[in-house]
Amino acid sequence: MSFFVGLVVGIVVGLALIVVFVRSENARSKLRTDLAATVAAFARMTVEDSRHLLAPEYYPSWVVFSQRQKLNWLNSHLTKIWPYVNEAASELIKSSVEPTLEQYRPIILSSLKFSKFTLGTVAPQFTGVSILESDSSGITMELEMNWDGNPNIVLDVKTRLGVSLPVQVKDIGFTGVFRLIFRPLVEELPCFGAVCYSLRQKKKFDFKLKVIGGDITSIPGLSGALEDTIHNAIEDSITWPVRKIVPILPGDYSDLELKPSGTLEVKLVQAKGLTNKDFIGKSDPYAELYIRPLRDRTKTSKIISNDLNPIWNEHYEFVVEDASTQHLYVKIYDDEGLQASELLGCAQVQLSELEPGKVKDVWLKLVKDLDVQRDTKYRGEVHLELLYCPYGMENSFTNPFAKKVEMTTLERVLKSSGNGIADAAQTEREVSQKKREVIVRGVLSVTVISAEDLPVVDLMGKADPFVVLTMKKSDTKNKTRVVNENLNPEWNQTFDFVVEDALHDMLIAEVYDHDTFRKEYIGRCILTLTRVILEGEYRECFPLDGAKSGRLNLSLKWVPQPIYRDSQ
């Protein structure tokens, strides 16, 4: 009997194992089929499909979606015809760059020219091409290029001491994007009148300098000076928006030449939360601002010693050639005296984001490198006021003093929008007698209304706050009464300041906690007077910088009283 029971149980267990095994194999087969289908689906995915699946912030910084098409066919043909391209391109680049080299020649040199210039035997590789949308008058193409060549470039360097040195430029590594513009389109072969070429983006440009038969370090400072000269020459000769025009058909192509399109007025207000790079004390920050990184177009602020929250309040004006593609770059450095300055952070603003004729107030987060798309470390912020005025908009900001008085664009806009300006005809007669400078003078009324959510300062969980108002340029001060034991105090006190030069002054509102023997700093907010001059009056709640929490409610009113100061 037990034999039959065991036989039945064995058969049942065996059948059960067979069923489990078959189901397991079927499941594994289905998983393999699904995985193969998934892999095939991923292989068919386009860039747009990837963007729909995941938002850009979820991708690592090294993932970049490119809209450029591959150019393997061009690279293979370029390799074949490179010896002929080398002959033509070498002469073209030499004639374009050599005059600019002489322009940026270091003062320690008496002459700087090419004695040899060939691009070598290694052809560049074009890694992508894209056609940009433009009007019907032309075609704009961008070619991405990578070149690690073996050129034979020798500079004939002559110093003012009479020493002549042949300096070889070697180990060139270049990655960038060239822009080609075919314009205008015509009804005659090759269907366009001229070609404009320019270096649209310079992603990488490395090289080494070597004195043939000698050591370049034998002349102190020569290597660094030559490197700066080469970079400046390339920037000023072929880097966008500079463009070189090659006529194909006879005609006038002056409209394709580089022309200034407007001015950018920049007020560098302040920075906050900068990184401390000094072992003793704090960093000594200063700022460099530029649209094109040329020596004569870069503006440098004053150095603020031992301060991680510097206030500059400085004005600069830049020439804009192409607002649709150019950026304003800001770099904050720590001054190290005789040593090289250390970069604290940098930021950029696209000029295309600025509304012409409107002042834009921006706080920019500083990053270590502008090419790194996602820099999560906090390195501080910089505060700017920006005004872009294209040429031709002067009629929108009528100013009777414009032809007689030299003012910045910001001054012209503010003066044209202010009230109380004298009659135009009378003013014309006055300024024709003597050159004068317009000063934006007036009375600033500041009402300290209240504060909200101030941090706890006292041991009893309260604070005894009061506010100190300071005009930075004149150092005129006023302060409110003390409100005892209150984290949401109300003052409703108004103070008047006579401001002699409003465009170059600022209001600093500092909140303190009152104690019997001392006062304890809580936080502050810094305001330029640009907005109140333009709007006449406004009210806003400002966050307190340097405080864990807290906001300050202020009302500002401006009553202009223009005066004139002799500039002679």
Side-chain angles (χ1 to χ4, degrees):
M1 184 69 181
S2 60
F3 172 76
F4 289 104
V5 173
L7 180 62
V8 171
V9 171
I11 292 173
V12 171
V13 172
L15 290 175
L17 289 175
I18 292 173
V19 171
V20 170
F21 177 75
V22 170
R23 288 186 176 181
S24 174
E25 286 299 310
N26 290 338
R28 292 177 61 185
S29 176
K30 186 176 184 303
L31 286 175
R32 287 194 294 268
T33 303
D34 293 343
L35 179 60
T38 302
V39 171
F42 272 109
R44 292 191 299 268
M45 279 180 57
T46 64
V47 172
E48 292 301 322
D49 295 331
S50 302
R51 289 176 173 172
H52 287 309
L53 286 175
L54 282 178
E57 58 266 22
Y58 293 106
Y59 289 98
S61 59
W62 47 267
V63 175
V64 178
F65 293 109
S66 176
Q67 296 181 351
R68 305 183 190 277
Q69 300 178 10
K70 300 297 183 180
L71 287 173
N72 295 330
W73 60 272
L74 178 59
N75 293 327
S76 61
H77 288 292
L78 181 61
T79 302
K80 298 177 182 178
I81 65 173
W82 179 247
Y84 307 99
V85 175
N86 177 29
E87 294 269 343
S90 296
E91 185 61 33
L92 184 63
I93 296 175
K94 179 181 178 181
S95 61
S96 298
V97 176
E98 193 169 54
T100 315
L101 272 179
E102 186 66 21
Q103 177 184 348
Y104 288 98
R105 172 172 48 84
I107 194 171
I108 61 175
L109 303 181
S110 60
S111 176
L112 181 60
K113 296 181 179 180
F114 290 113
S115 60
K116 292 182 181 180
F117 194 104
T118 60
L119 297 178
T121 59
V122 179
Q125 296 293 302
F126 290 99
T127 56
V129 61
S130 61
I131 305 297
L132 305 183
E133 295 183 4
S134 59
D135 53 34
S136 59
S137 62
I139 298 174
T140 301
M141 176 188 300
E142 288 192 346
L143 295 168
E144 186 171 354
M145 190 184 81
N146 183 25
W147 185 49
D148 294 308
N150 58 345
N152 184 13
I153 302 175
V154 179
L155 290 169
D156 183 16
V157 179
K158 294 182 180 179
T159 67
R160 296 192 179 275
L161 300 177
V163 179
S164 182
L165 298 173
V167 178
Q168 183 180 12
V169 184
K170 56 183 296 187
D171 297 339
I172 294 180
F174 174 81
T175 302
V177 178
F178 278 90
R179 172 172 287 189
L180 301 177
I181 302 176
F182 302 90
R183 185 179 295 178
L185 300 181
V186 296
E187 298 178 352
E188 181 182 351
L189 289 177
C191 299
F192 52 87
V195 178
C196 299
Y197 67 91
S198 176
L199 177 58
R200 173 68 181 85
Q201 185 180 7
K202 184 174 57 179
K203 297 182 178 180
K204 185 189 79 170
F205 181 49
D206 300 324
F207 59 88
K208 293 181 181 179
L209 299 177
K210 179 184 178 181
V211 174
I212 299 176
D215 185 3
I216 196 170
T217 59
S218 59
I219 301 180
L222 178 60
S223 177
L226 285 178
E227 288 180 3
D228 291 341
T229 300
I230 293 173
H231 281 289
N232 286 332
I234 293 176
E235 184 70 32
D236 200 20
S237 58
I238 60 172
T239 303
W240 184 265
V242 178
R243 72 288 306 262
K244 297 298 182 181
I245 303 172
V246 181
I248 304 298
L249 300 175
D252 181 15
Y253 303 112
S254 58
D255 58 320
L256 300 179
E257 296 176 354
L258 176 65
K259 298 182 179 68
S261 62
T263 58
L264 177 68
E265 191 79 16
V266 179
K267 176 183 280 189
L268 174 64
V269 183
Q270 60 174 322
K272 66 178 180 181
L274 299 180
T275 305
N276 189 11
K277 296 290 186 178
D278 292 350
F279 292 105
I280 301 176
K282 299 178 181 178
S283 297
D284 307 315
Y286 70 92
E288 285 188 356
L289 301 92
Y290 61 86
I291 293 179
R292 295 176 59 194
L294 299 175
R295 184 170 53 196
D296 57 342
R297 292 197 179 190
T298 300
K299 310 295 183 182
T300 304
S301 74
K302 62 185 177 184
I303 299 172
I304 307 295
S305 300
N306 200 37
D307 197 342
L308 300 181
N309 300 283
I311 301 174
W312 288 288
N313 196 35
E314 298 183 13
H315 283 80
Y316 309 103
E317 189 169 281
F318 298 89
V319 175
V320 179
E321 286 97 355
D322 185 4
S324 63
T325 60
Q326 288 186 300
H327 297 71
L328 172 70
Y329 298 93
V330 184
K331 294 186 176 181
I332 310 296
Y333 292 92
D334 175 28
D335 180 64
E336 298 291 348
L338 298 178
Q339 299 179 358
S341 298
E342 188 170 359
L343 180 67
L344 299 178
C346 52
Q348 64 179 354
V349 180
Q350 292 184 359
L351 302 190
S352 59
E353 297 177 352
L354 303 180
E355 183 179 354
K358 300 293 184 181
V359 177
K360 183 173 183 178
D361 186 282
V362 294
W363 278 95
L364 302 176
K365 182 181 177 182
L366 297 175
V367 296
K368 182 179 180 180
D369 190 340
L370 294 174
D371 293 331
V372 178
Q373 297 182 3
R374 287 179 283 276
D375 186 355
T376 58
K377 183 178 179 180
Y378 182 76
R379 306 176 189 276
E381 298 175 73
V382 61
H383 183 195
L384 303 176
E385 281 186 353
L386 307 170
L387 171 67
Y388 171 57
C389 279
Y391 294 142
M393 288 191 64
E394 290 81 0
N395 293 334
S396 302
F397 311 111
T398 305
N399 184 0
F401 306 100
K403 295 182 180 181
K404 297 294 182 180
V405 182
E406 294 182 0
M407 295 186 295
T408 65
T409 308
L410 180 59
E411 289 173 327
R412 291 196 292 269
V413 173
L414 295 180
K415 282 303 300 173
S416 65
S417 61
N419 298 322
I421 300 179
D423 179 77
Q426 180 180 354
T427 306
E428 184 73 25
R429 290 192 299 268
E430 292 176 357
V431 297
S432 63
Q433 298 173 3
K434 183 184 291 186
K435 181 180 178 181
R436 296 184 173 188
E437 181 182 3
V438 179
I439 305 300
V440 180
R441 181 181 187 270
V443 177
L444 176 66
S445 296
V446 182
T447 301
V448 183
I449 302 172
S450 61
E452 304 172 5
D453 193 27
L454 294 179
V456 175
V457 179
D458 294 343
L459 296 177
M460 303 301 294
K462 296 288 184 179
D464 306 317
F466 67 97
V467 180
V468 176
L469 301 175
T470 306
M471 298 305 302
K472 180 174 175 59
K473 195 168 184 180
S474 62
D475 201 32
T476 306
K477 297 179 182 288
N478 277 305
K479 70 176 183 177
T480 67
R481 65 179 183 274
V482 177
V483 178
N484 295 318
E485 299 183 355
N486 200 326
L487 299 180
N488 297 280
E490 294 185 2
W491 290 283
N492 291 311
Q493 290 183 258
T494 301
F495 305 94
D496 292 335
F497 296 90
V498 177
V499 183
E500 297 293 339
D501 190 359
L503 294 181
H504 305 92
D505 211 340
M506 56 176 28
L507 173 69
I508 303 176
E510 298 172 300
V511 181
Y512 291 91
D513 173 53
H514 175 75
D515 287 330
T516 304
F517 300 104
R518 63 184 179 89
K519 61 180 181 181
E520 186 172 350
Y521 176 78
I522 295 178
R524 71 180 182 183
C525 53
I526 300 174
L527 311 175
T528 65
L529 306 187
T530 307
R531 180 179 173 185
V532 70
I533 294 173
L534 288 172
E535 298 182 9
E537 183 176 2
Y538 74 93
R539 173 177 172 173
E540 191 164 323
C541 186
F542 300 94
L544 290 178
D545 290 334
K548 295 180 180 179
S549 62
R551 297 177 299 277
L552 188 62
N553 290 305
L554 299 176
S555 176
L556 283 76
K557 183 178 180 181
W558 176 255
V559 180
Q561 297 176 358
I563 62 172
Y564 308 97
R565 179 176 64 195
D566 293 344
S567 61
Q568 297 178 347

